[in-house]
Amino acid sequence: MNTQRICASYAKSKLDDFTTALKELGYKDSTIKEHRKKILRFLKLNNDSQITNEVLKEYINNHCDKGYSKRYTISVKKSINVFYNFLCTNSIDLSRIKRDTYTFSEEDEVLVNSFLLKYSNKCQTDSINRKRITLWRFLNDINNEKICIKELDEKYITSNLLNKNYDDVRIIKSFLNYLFVEGNLSIDLSLFIHPIKRVKKSPSVYTDDEIYKIINYYSEDNLIGLRNKIIIMLATTTGLRSCDIVRLKLSDINMSKNQISIVQQKTKKPISLYINDELKKLILSYHSLSEHRKHGHLFSNEKAPYGPMSTGSIRYLLKKAIINLGIKKEGRKTGPHSLRSSFATSLAQNNVSYDVIQKTLGHKDNSSLDSYVLTDVEKLRKCSLPTYNPSGSFLKWLGEV
């Protein structure tokens, strides 16, 4: 976070440079005009003051929330924050505005970092970050109760972890045990946390007919539709994770062999997958038409600022297709992982061995498939034992019941 103090007169002199930078990123004139309008209104009210993060927050709280809609307030906040960062760094950062930070002591943060060190060699960065956020929330809750870690007791632990999910409880329990071992707690509070049984949920699987409709929802007649169709086809015909799809580069695809070769983002393991001729043709067509690929990735946002796509964009385009097609969710999720589950289930129902499915999905062991492959009830029915009509004492007992 920037903490510089910027003179208002200097900010006004840099507004044209900010406008030029937005134009270079490909923003439309109408969008740039809206940014300028919001920034000028802010500068007018702060004409003689120094601009700081505190001034920005005060402006949002005192002026925006009193007459504007929530959506417009968010857009104003983004405009003036992006402009302030531009003044501080002379570059435009279009990343999302971070939510309010968690509040706890620096000593507690040191404890969290030292605890997470033991995971550095056996967990991926994303997994470690999820653990960190869980512990930050836990420490933030403690701070709000005006107590410190050493004041924690059995009553607080048992009453405040009831509504936590399985993963959060498991992380907090491990953290409390670590604090006891390191001498930061006089008693092992992890012993008071009863184990929560993880409920296994059936994977979200769509039928072949539904997958066909989803693939063809997007038209090849326009660039965005073509891109979206390719992304859905990649997920449904290769089982690629969305995090790997957004990072895909043309150099990862061997067109002569119809083969994608990448290092998976989640497992850091290499994998090679086959693509059919139709998908290859669409990829080549999209690559020849798309002009915004300075970042090197195959798939781009087709609107300014033309950066690489995010996994959130894939979730949105898939959910949009499912809802507009009128496909009943029936408890199924609408994220891209459902396409991966559908792909794995389709392979299993077509008698593909679990070893092949495991390698195709990039898993280390077959047990991972439990959360992907939906049980084929019809095939299980064929394996059932024959039943016989009751007789003798059993038949007599049934009559009495």
Side-chain angles (χ1 to χ4, degrees):
M1 180 184 291
N2 292 311
T3 57
Q4 298 182 35
R5 302 176 68 87
I6 306 294
C7 179
S9 58
Y10 172 76
K12 285 184 179 180
S13 69
K14 296 291 289 184
L15 186 55
D16 288 338
D17 293 340
F18 177 71
T19 300
T20 302
L22 288 177
K23 284 184 177 180
E24 290 175 352
L25 287 172
Y27 277 89
K28 295 180 180 179
D29 289 340
S30 57
T31 304
I32 295 173
K33 184 178 179 180
E34 280 299 311
H35 278 301
R36 286 182 64 94
K37 181 179 177 181
K38 295 164 188 171
I39 293 168
L40 284 170
R41 185 182 291 122
F42 164 73
L43 292 175
K44 184 177 180 180
L45 289 173
N46 296 276
N47 190 39
D48 301 320
S49 63
Q50 297 282 325
I51 300 174
T52 62
N53 267 307
E54 289 70 26
V55 172
L56 298 183
K57 290 178 182 178
E58 184 182 352
Y59 174 75
I60 295 295
N61 294 333
N62 295 340
H63 297 280
C64 291
D65 292 343
K66 293 185 177 179
Y68 303 138
S69 66
K70 183 177 179 181
R71 178 177 293 183
Y72 186 75
T73 299
I74 292 172
S75 70
V76 171
K77 186 176 181 180
K78 181 174 182 179
S79 292
I80 61 176
N81 271 283
V82 170
F83 180 58
Y84 175 66
N85 287 330
F86 175 78
L87 296 175
C88 296
T89 64
N90 205 34
S91 62
I92 293 182
D93 180 12
L94 293 165
S95 58
R96 293 182 180 179
I97 300 170
K98 294 183 179 180
R99 297 177 181 177
D100 294 337
T101 55
Y102 303 108
T103 305
F104 46 84
S105 69
E106 292 183 6
E107 182 182 351
D108 290 346
E109 186 169 11
V110 171
L111 290 175
V112 170
N113 291 336
S114 60
F115 166 72
L116 294 174
L117 277 177
K118 68 178 185 177
Y119 294 100
S120 59
N121 294 327
K122 57 183 180 181
C123 290
Q124 300 298 325
T125 303
D126 289 345
S127 178
I128 293 175
N129 286 338
R130 282 195 294 271
K131 295 179 191 296
R132 177 177 282 109
I133 291 174
T134 296
L135 294 177
W136 280 356
R137 287 172 179 162
F138 175 63
L139 294 173
N140 185 70
D141 292 342
I142 294 173
N143 183 74
N144 290 338
E145 295 289 336
K146 306 299 182 182
I147 59 177
C148 65
I149 286 180
K150 292 183 178 180
E151 295 173 337
L152 289 175
D153 54 23
E154 177 188 351
K155 183 179 179 181
Y156 179 87
I157 293 299
T158 54
S159 62
N160 285 275
L161 297 185
L162 293 176
N163 297 323
K164 302 281 186 183
N165 63 39
Y166 171 86
D167 291 319
D168 288 350
V169 171
R170 182 170 53 85
I171 293 167
I172 294 171
K173 182 173 183 177
S174 181
F175 180 59
L176 291 173
N177 176 257
Y178 169 82
L179 294 177
F180 170 71
V181 172
E182 294 296 317
N184 293 286
L185 288 175
S186 57
I187 57 175
D188 189 357
L189 293 175
S190 67
L191 299 176
F192 300 110
I193 301 176
H194 299 292
I196 300 175
K197 188 175 181 180
R198 191 170 200 167
V199 179
K200 282 193 174 183
K201 297 181 180 179
S202 297
S204 297
V205 173
Y206 291 89
T207 65
D208 291 343
D209 182 55
E210 290 171 333
I211 293 294
Y212 178 80
K213 290 178 180 178
I214 294 170
I215 289 174
N216 289 286
Y217 172 77
Y218 289 103
S219 171
E220 301 172 26
D221 297 336
N222 61 81
L223 197 58
I224 295 178
L226 176 60
R227 179 201 65 191
N228 294 349
K229 183 171 185 175
I230 294 171
I231 288 171
I232 294 174
M233 286 185 69
L234 277 170
T236 54
T237 61
T238 67
L240 275 175
R241 297 181 180 90
S242 58
C243 59
D244 292 323
I245 291 176
V246 296
R247 289 174 173 81
L248 197 63
K249 299 179 181 179
L250 193 67
S251 58
D252 295 327
I253 307 174
N254 187 324
M255 295 299 179
S256 61
K257 295 183 178 180
N258 285 36
Q259 190 177 60
I260 292 176
S261 298
I262 60 167
V263 175
Q264 298 172 95
Q265 173 69 15
K266 183 176 180 179
T267 65
K268 307 302 179 186
K269 302 292 183 183
I271 190 172
S272 294
L273 300 167
Y274 170 81
I275 60 172
N276 58 42
D277 289 332
E278 180 187 1
L279 182 53
K280 180 178 75 172
K281 182 179 177 181
L282 292 176
I283 290 173
L284 289 173
S285 176
Y286 172 73
H287 183 266
S288 65
L289 294 173
S290 183
E291 302 174 353
H292 314 293
R293 234 177 280 100
K294 294 180 181 179
H295 46 76
H297 295 92
L298 177 61
F299 299 112
S300 304
N301 291 319
E302 297 304 331
K303 295 181 180 178
Y306 306 114
M309 288 190 69
S310 66
T311 55
S313 299
I314 297 182
R315 284 194 296 273
Y316 171 77
L317 67 89
L318 177 58
K319 184 176 181 179
K320 177 182 177 182
I322 291 172
I323 292 175
N324 290 346
L325 285 167
I327 296 175
K328 295 181 179 179
K329 293 194 291 184
E330 298 175 342
R332 296 175 295 184
K333 295 181 179 179
T334 58
H337 216 69
S338 63
L339 300 183
R340 183 171 162 86
S341 300
S342 302
F343 172 70
T345 300
S346 179
L347 291 179
Q349 292 177 348
N350 283 282
N351 299 318
V352 177
S353 70
Y354 266 36
D355 286 339
V356 173
I357 299 175
Q358 171 197 330
K359 292 177 181 177
T360 303
L361 295 180
H363 286 162
K364 296 178 181 178
D365 56 77
N366 283 340
S367 62
S368 302
L369 297 178
D370 294 344
S371 58
Y372 285 86
V373 180
L374 190 65
T375 304
D376 192 338
V377 177
E378 293 305 316
K379 287 186 178 179
L380 287 177
R381 201 186 305 278
K382 295 177 182 178
C383 301
S384 62
L385 296 173
T387 58
Y388 300 96
N389 293 327
S391 61
S393 59
F394 181 54
L395 178 59
K396 183 180 178 182
W397 178 82
L398 286 176
E400 292 176 354
V401 172

